[in-house]
Amino acid sequence: MIDHPFAGQVCRVALIVPLLIGLGTGCASDGDDQPSGTYRREGVTGSITVFAAASLTDSFTELGTAFEEANPESTVAFSFGPSSALVTQITEGAPADVIATASTTNMKDLVDADALGGDPTEFATNVLQLAVPPDNPGDIDALDDLADEDLIVALCNEEVPCGKFAREALDKAGVEPSIDSNEEDVRALLTKIEAGEVDVGVVYRTDVEAAGDAVEGIEIPDDQNVTATYPIAVTGEADNAEGARALVDFVLSEDGRAALTEAGFGSP
Amino acid sequence: MSLRTDQHRDASATGPPDQPGPIPGTGRAAKASASHAGRAPRSLVPVAAIAVAFLVLPLVGLLQRAPWSDLGSVLRAPAVGDALRLSVVTASASTVACLVLGLPLAWVLARSPFPGRRVVRALVTLPMVLPPVVGGAALLFSLGRRSPLGMVLENAFGITLPFTTTGAILAQTFVAMPFLVITVEGALRTGDRRLEEAATTLGARRWTVLLRVTLPQVAPSVLAGAVLAWARALGEFGATITFAGNLQGRTQTLPLAVYEVLQNDPGAAVVLSLVLVVVSLTVLIALRDRWTPTA
């Protein structure tokens, strides 16, 4: 129903990559005086509302800033949360222009509800890791440790992709976890691990990366691990469909890919 | 002495506009308007009707989306029973905690002038404006396993609070207690003191006056405050999920269950919300009649 008049007309400049890396390391951007033609797209104006999985918080915030610098007439507003909740909000009419989830299952719900303005595109993958507070007070080294009743073990909620994948991984490893809390999304879980209140949780590799020294990551072997695939799409009711398509193209561009790789995401 | 503090009290009673609605007999002015002025001006009625519609319409939205045919199967899910039981138990326990701690606090705030009383009053009502999530995080940082106090609790007594039912009760008490405190304090500050003075003149000790005269006088406000606190605790979400986590049967109260279910089964979430509405309405209606005897 909706064409993509700008599809393919992607103007990339290599400058954006150092810019993104600069933002990623937390440098303050003095962008006001900077020329902003690095990823300019004619006709992109106004606010673009992006609903994105909690695990995309850091990388999408960066990408959004880079997009705004390239397209000064547009602003990107984010709503990060559990993919399942975002999908429910959109089917109930929440005003999102772009939706990116941490699971193809959630996106399929939107396809089934006829709530998208085009086919979703897979743009990133992620794998699970165990996350523990610094110096690993619970002495965790593998998924089996999650069965220990003396430890405070938390997962994401079963309805949320990271919770669903964590349970799949535990199933594969044949571990019956002794769960103390089901957190609302991966970032809520990560915060409690950072605070040292949870001894171990199952999160994405990218969350461990983003947390820096605040948590330690422990790899889960491939035969027990689960790969999350992230799709992105323009919503059917997008108020700013043009801006939404430009942003999706940006995420799918080499520059977008570079930023996601930097954050620890894999290629689909 | 009692005359001087009386004047001080009256002066401060007209000061801060922090009085909640349902305080019976709040001050002499309120009493006067209730008995003399009679009905509200007619022009207020349409506005009041808009207010009612605004508050009640969302409820209609819930009713309209409720999957009535699935009602039985949703309500029979074990998670629902667990959540309802846990909600009633934790809200009641935290109301008891609010009464045990909040009544003395209200009394001291209302009747014992001390330097910095205004500051203390502001501080203890802060949880009313603090986003509950922040309250939960604050509890986590102050009573969690890594906090100094939490370490003492764990090492000396083997008690950990996060992710326990006790933690859920604490979180609810934190957000609910101010409702009780300001309700009771308002009544104590503005109530008629002549009976107490008479009792004192007749030789009654302070405790006797407190238990036999003052407490019966402010009993309706205590009940009102307790019901407000209970209702606030029952609906508590942010502080609970942040401090106590979310585990069925242990810390997953009804609001947390609603949030979880809402993500992939909005219909079931509506049913759970209606359970919460029915329980709250029943209690509010039953007790409301008691604290407004002339209604």
Side-chain angles (χ1 to χ4, degrees):
Chain A
M1 185 183 105
I2 296 170
D3 295 325
H4 289 248
F6 289 93
Q9 297 177 23
V10 177
C11 153
R12 292 187 200 104
V13 173
L15 272 173
I16 193 85
V17 177
L19 170 68
L20 286 174
I21 292 169
L23 289 168
T25 51
C27 297
S29 162
D30 53 353
D32 285 352
D33 307 332
Q34 301 286 319
S36 51
T38 45
Y39 195 83
R40 189 152 172 74
R41 179 77 74 88
E42 285 307 318
V44 170
T45 56
S47 173
I48 306 162
T49 305
V50 180
F51 280 24
S55 45
L56 293 167
T57 304
D58 302 85
S59 39
F60 265 37
T61 306
E62 271 178 40
L63 285 171
T65 310
F67 186 87
E68 282 176 350
E69 300 217 339
N71 300 278
E73 278 120 82
S74 69
T75 53
V76 185
F78 288 104
S79 173
F80 295 107
S83 299
S84 42
L86 299 175
V87 165
T88 304
Q89 287 166 5
I90 289 176
T91 51
E92 292 297 323
D97 298 310
V98 175
I99 167 79
T101 62
S103 157
T104 47
T105 321
N106 298 114
M107 193 61 94
K108 192 173 167 297
D109 289 345
L110 287 177
V111 175
D112 293 345
D114 209 13
L116 296 181
D119 288 335
T121 312
E122 293 173 1
F123 69 97
T125 62
N126 215 342
V127 292
L128 300 176
Q129 271 193 1
L130 295 173
V132 300
D135 57 76
N136 196 357
D139 202 18
I140 314 287
D141 55 20
L143 277 174
D144 317 23
D145 294 322
L146 273 69
D148 188 342
E149 287 181 6
D150 294 333
L151 296 175
I152 307 270
V153 176
L155 301 179
C156 291
N157 222 324
E158 206 168 350
E159 323 286 345
V160 181
C162 69
K164 191 168 67 89
F165 297 141
R167 283 165 178 80
E168 282 176 33
L170 286 158
D171 262 0
K172 282 192 191 178
V175 176
E176 186 73 44
S178 160
I179 301 172
D180 291 283
S181 185
N182 294 301
E183 295 293 312
E184 53 191 306
D185 66 27
V186 70
R187 287 308 163 100
L189 172 55
L190 196 68
T191 304
K192 287 182 186 172
I193 300 168
E194 287 178 9
E197 297 301 336
V198 167
D199 291 317
V200 59
V202 180
V203 302
Y204 297 112
R205 179 175 65 196
T206 53
D207 298 306
V208 175
E209 292 268 337
D213 294 336
V215 303
E216 269 178 37
I218 297 162
E219 303 260 355
I220 297 173
D222 287 346
D223 59 332
Q224 298 176 346
N225 215 324
V226 177
T227 301
T229 304
Y230 289 62
I232 190 168
V234 176
T235 63
E237 308 262 309
D239 288 332
N240 189 353
E242 208 143 288
R245 275 193 294 274
L247 188 77
V248 170
D249 288 342
F250 180 48
V251 171
L252 297 173
S253 72
E254 273 173 32
D255 308 325
R257 167 113 306 283
L260 289 164
T261 306
E262 177 77 9
F265 287 97
S267 303
Chain B
M1 177 215 152
S2 91
L3 187 66
R4 205 180 60 227
T5 53
D6 224 348
Q7 280 165 344
H8 171 76
R9 217 168 283 118
D10 277 353
S12 64
T14 57
D18 59 352
Q19 314 248 332
I23 300 175
T26 307
R28 276 156 213 161
K31 254 183 203 163
S33 71
S35 55
H36 301 303
R39 292 170 164 248
R42 255 164 220 275
S43 54
L44 289 185
V45 174
V47 183
I50 292 172
V52 170
F54 175 69
L55 294 172
V56 174
L57 258 183
L59 209 61
V60 177
L62 274 184
L63 289 172
Q64 167 207 323
R65 287 294 292 270
W68 298 108
S69 50
D70 303 342
L71 207 61
S73 67
V74 172
L75 289 176
R76 271 193 300 275
V80 175
D82 281 353
L84 179 60
R85 194 173 325 115
L86 191 67
S87 272
V88 171
V89 167
T90 53
S92 305
S94 70
T95 305
V96 171
C98 287
L99 284 166
V100 169
L101 298 171
L103 279 183
L105 173 60
W107 228 287
V108 169
L109 283 177
R111 296 286 174 90
S112 310
F114 59 90
R117 182 164 64 159
R118 277 165 179 271
V119 177
V120 172
R121 184 183 291 136
L123 281 175
V124 300
T125 47
L126 209 54
M128 292 176 86
V129 290
L130 210 59
V133 175
V134 176
L139 285 171
L140 203 58
F141 300 143
S142 57
L143 295 172
R145 294 193 303 168
R146 289 286 173 100
S147 67
L149 197 57
M151 279 197 256
V152 171
L153 283 176
E154 185 169 26
N155 296 334
F157 306 101
I159 298 172
T160 50
L161 294 171
F163 310 112
T164 61
T165 305
T166 315
I169 295 169
L170 276 182
Q172 292 175 1
T173 307
F174 180 79
V175 294
M177 202 196 298
F179 288 87
L180 179 101
V181 172
I182 61 167
T183 309
V184 176
E185 195 216 339
L188 283 169
R189 262 204 291 171
T190 57
D192 193 341
R193 302 286 302 278
R194 281 171 301 183
L195 284 175
E196 292 175 353
E197 279 157 20
T200 311
T201 317
L202 294 172
R205 291 158 188 267
R206 274 198 199 188
W207 271 102
T208 313
V209 175
L210 193 156
L211 292 174
R212 306 277 299 270
V213 181
T214 321
L215 200 56
Q217 247 187 326
V218 297
S221 296
V222 173
L223 187 60
V227 171
L228 276 179
W230 187 84
R232 180 67 191 87
L234 192 71
E236 216 303 305
F237 173 80
T240 310
I241 201 166
T242 311
F243 181 59
N246 174 32
L247 189 71
Q248 186 186 331
R250 199 196 295 173
T251 56
Q252 188 181 68
T253 55
L254 258 181
L256 272 61
V258 169
Y259 181 75
E260 186 172 315
V261 174
L262 193 57
Q263 299 192 14
N264 70 342
D265 189 354
V270 169
V271 174
L272 297 193
S273 306
L274 287 177
V275 171
L276 206 54
V277 168
V278 168
V279 172
S280 314
L281 261 186
T282 309
V283 172
L284 289 173
I285 290 172
L287 291 173
R288 175 84 206 178
D289 284 345
R290 273 185 214 180
W291 87 61
T292 52
T294 52

